[in-house]
Amino acid sequence: MCSIWGYYRHLFRRHLLSGRMLSVLVLTALTMDAFLVGLRSYCYDTGARVSQWGFALLWTNKYVVLSFLLIYVYAVSNFPLDRVRERYSIARMGIARWAVAQGLYLVSFGWLYTVLLVVLQNLLLCGVMEWSGSWGKGWGALSDISAAVGVDIYIKAPYRILANYAPLEANFLVFIIMGLLLGMLGGLVFWLNLYSRAAGAAAGSFMIFLGVAAVRMKRLLPYSPANWIQLEYHYSMLEPGQPKPGYIVAILLLLTFFGLVMARRRVERTQENNSPAKKPW
């Protein structure tokens, strides 16, 4: 019988080396460059240099959040894999193990995509970057709106973040939340795609666009995971209705677990296990 780990490694090679992943890589790189080109131009023109801690600040722009999360949903929207082409693997390991392996892969792929975003940002800013133990003068200058007048800079450095977070703390927190968020989105897409190929991508996209609405309707923030990677919407004394990091991490873990459990329950009710399913998938 084929093991979950063996099939997981097979998925890792097959998915990452696919044409879909090549298009995702190119689209991610081009999108990242489009958002950072204004910042690079500003640094070249003024001689300013930014520190390596910009990942936590990348997500202050709602369109950055929207773009990269939608790209991720596209990247995982082909899961679960086609059962007809996977019938040999299903026969060897059973459909429940087959589903578990894919769910675990999607969770780990979320972390891999997070690492890709960090690497791409640093590569695209390496010409204007300096290594520092603090936020540095470059990000400090960008916290002043008047410093970038007339320049199209999508990535800003809100003073609220610079003043309340140490750079290592901010980047670690955003990295953890991003990895958990992408894993949760992958599990959601996987589960709902078991009912309809369009359902998972539609639900994931709805959750992402809900974040755009939550920017204006702050009462939606505790229910909008897409906003949780934006540090300026975390809990503060002035706005007690905002979610706290502990709440964010706990809810993302619970939602991920729920999605994977429901996906397994769904596949266990299919014809491969000799039990009727209401609807084929």
Side-chain angles (χ1 to χ4, degrees), residues 59-113:
W59 309 99
T60 57
N61 186 302
K62 62 182 178 181
Y63 298 110
V64 172
V65 176
L66 181 69
S67 299
F68 289 113
L69 292 188
L70 286 176
I71 292 174
Y72 179 79
V73 168
Y74 165 72
V76 300
S77 61
N78 62 326
F79 282 86
L81 301 180
D82 182 38
R83 287 192 306 168
V84 175
R85 296 182 180 181
E86 292 287 299
R87 59 184 180 275
Y88 177 70
S89 297
I90 294 174
R92 291 189 63 194
M93 65 188 302
I95 195 168
R97 288 172 174 259
W98 177 77
V100 168
Q102 291 192 60
L104 293 176
Y105 171 75
L106 289 176
V107 171
S108 58
F109 178 68
W111 290 99
L112 185 62
Y113 190 73

Side-chain angles (χ1 to χ4, degrees), residues 28-281:
T28 301
L30 292 176
T31 304
M32 182 73 76
D33 183 67
F35 282 120
L36 295 179
V37 64
L39 175 59
R40 288 202 309 270
S41 298
Y42 168 78
C43 291
Y44 285 133
D45 292 341
T46 63
R49 302 186 72 82
V50 295
S51 67
Q52 76 278 17
W53 304 111
F55 185 70
L57 304 173
L58 177 66
W59 309 99
T60 57
N61 186 302
K62 62 182 178 181
Y63 298 110
V64 172
V65 176
L66 181 69
S67 299
F68 289 113
L69 292 188
L70 286 176
I71 292 174
Y72 179 79
V73 168
Y74 165 72
V76 300
S77 61
N78 62 326
F79 282 86
L81 301 180
D82 182 38
R83 287 192 306 168
V84 175
R85 296 182 180 181
E86 292 287 299
R87 59 184 180 275
Y88 177 70
S89 297
I90 294 174
R92 291 189 63 194
M93 65 188 302
I95 195 168
R97 288 172 174 259
W98 177 77
V100 168
Q102 291 192 60
L104 293 176
Y105 171 75
L106 289 176
V107 171
S108 58
F109 178 68
W111 290 99
L112 185 62
Y113 190 73
T114 303
V115 172
L116 172 65
L117 293 173
V118 175
V119 172
L120 280 176
Q121 184 198 31
N122 287 332
L123 285 176
L124 291 171
L125 291 179
C126 64
V128 295
M129 184 182 294
E130 63 178 359
W131 291 88
S132 173
S134 63
W135 287 110
K137 294 181 179 180
W139 295 119
L142 288 172
S143 66
D144 181 6
I145 299 177
S146 62
V149 172
V151 183
D152 292 328
I153 299 180
Y154 293 100
I155 310 305
K156 302 296 176 64
Y159 178 77
R160 179 174 176 178
I161 294 178
L162 301 188
N164 290 283
Y165 291 92
L168 180 59
E169 174 195 10
N171 280 266
F172 178 76
L173 184 58
V174 171
F175 183 86
I176 294 298
I177 293 175
M178 173 62 80
L180 293 175
L181 173 63
L182 295 183
M184 183 275 292
L185 281 174
L188 175 68
V189 171
F190 179 55
W191 169 37
L192 295 180
N193 273 357
L194 292 170
Y195 294 88
S196 170
R197 277 294 176 180
S205 299
F206 172 79
M207 185 174 291
I208 295 167
F209 281 103
L210 178 64
V212 178
V215 172
R216 293 183 176 274
M217 303 172 63
K218 299 298 178 65
R219 64 179 180 273
L220 294 177
L221 289 175
Y223 315 105
S224 176
N227 294 99
W228 295 347
I229 52 176
Q230 297 176 277
L231 291 179
E232 57 190 325
Y233 296 129
H234 285 203
Y235 175 78
S236 71
M237 294 297 294
L238 298 178
E239 298 177 76
Q242 293 179 322
K244 299 180 181 180
Y247 165 86
I248 291 171
V249 171
I251 293 298
L252 289 177
L253 286 172
L254 286 173
L255 289 176
T256 302
F257 180 74
F258 175 78
L260 296 181
V261 168
M262 294 304 294
R264 176 166 179 168
R265 287 174 59 87
R266 171 64 182 173
V267 299
E268 286 177 342
R269 298 177 57 215
T270 60
Q271 295 295 334
E272 277 78 3
N273 285 345
N274 296 319
S275 60
K278 294 182 178 179
K279 190 180 296 185
W281 47 273

